[in-house]
Amino acid sequence: ETGVTQSPTHLIKTRGQQVTLRCSSQSGHNTVSWYQQALGQGPQFIFQYYREEENGRGNFPPRFSGLQFPNYSSELNVNALELDDSALYLCASSRGGGAGSAFFGQGTRLTVV
Amino acid sequence: ELKVEQNPLFLSMQEGKNYTIYCNYSTTSDRLYWYRQDPGKSLESLFVLLSNGAVKQEGRLMASLDTKARLSTLHITAAVHDLSATYFCAVDPLKGGNEKLTFGTGTRLTIIP
């Protein structure tokens, strides 16, 4: 049990819709990173939030956006959903600054139909 | 672009045997993570290796890091069925680290009784 919680656990959306995924970070952690894991592949880094600011982004289009709140919880928003967005979305909570900690939540399984 | 390669991709081994999973990466890094993933589940942190020559052991698993060779290994001793899972290595490429991880392709390990 990592203390990182994500909601919802499963979600089905229609192509073109918008979705918001949520992540509560572990106590004492101020950094949240989001990853996309397609079936049979390794997770791909989407972006990271540190103290409410975006702190680096992977190779994802602008329709993937996020927020971090003062309590360090975070949201991932995806607009104009495409079928290829179907994946497991993982958030990782860490203390930041290279502390060597990155603990993952249980993930949100998004299916786009 | 940082590339992280694991081999083998698939590994089927008998209980009681020893084997090693290899993780090669293409840039200098002194921080490497190993995770375990069960089907349909999230990532469970196994080891964090934070310096050249680091070696960590937990039960039947031992991980090591050679930053000069850009190589990490995950050694399995006397495998048991419960170790069946997919194992990922992940590299934090920034010196000192910032937990923006690039993952390998994963090694799907099946332990046969």
Side-chain angles (χ1 to χ4, degrees), chain A residues 33 35 37 41-43 45 48 55-56 88 90 94 96-107 109, chain B residues 31 33 35 37 40-45 48 50 88 92 96-106 108:
Chain A
S33 303
Y35 294 81
Q37 185 178 23
Q41 298 184 21
F45 175 74
Q48 183 184 86
N55 183 40
L88 180 67
L90 298 162
S94 58
S101 63
F103 299 104
F104 284 81
Q106 79 276 27
R109 172 75 61 188
Chain B
R31 287 161 187 270
Y33 296 71
Y35 291 92
Q37 188 174 42
K41 304 292 186 182
S42 186
L43 299 171
E44 175 191 351
S45 179
V48 182
L50 299 179
F88 290 97
D92 187 342
N98 60 7
E99 287 86 36
K100 297 174 192 172
L101 304 181
T102 298
F103 281 80
T105 45
R108 184 178 295 180

Side-chain angles (χ1 to χ4, degrees), chain A residues 31-47:
Chain A
T31 301
V32 172
S33 303
W34 286 92
Y35 294 81
Q36 180 195 67
Q37 185 178 23
L39 199 61
Q41 298 184 21
Q44 300 287 317
F45 175 74
I46 303 175
F47 45 57

Side-chain angles (χ1 to χ4, degrees), chain A residues 46-98:
Chain A
I46 303 175
F47 45 57
Q48 183 184 86
Y49 277 83
Y50 172 67
R51 294 185 176 178
E52 303 180 58
E53 297 284 334
E54 186 177 294
N55 183 40
R57 188 178 184 93
N59 190 24
F60 281 81
R63 59 189 185 84
F64 285 77
S65 63
L67 283 174
Q68 188 178 34
F69 300 99
N71 65 355
Y72 302 127
S73 66
S74 178
E75 286 182 355
L76 164 66
N77 299 290
V78 187
N79 293 322
L81 283 166
E82 301 176 359
L83 297 179
D84 284 350
D85 296 333
S86 294
L88 180 67
Y89 287 85
L90 298 162
C91 78
S93 162
S94 58
R95 287 195 293 274

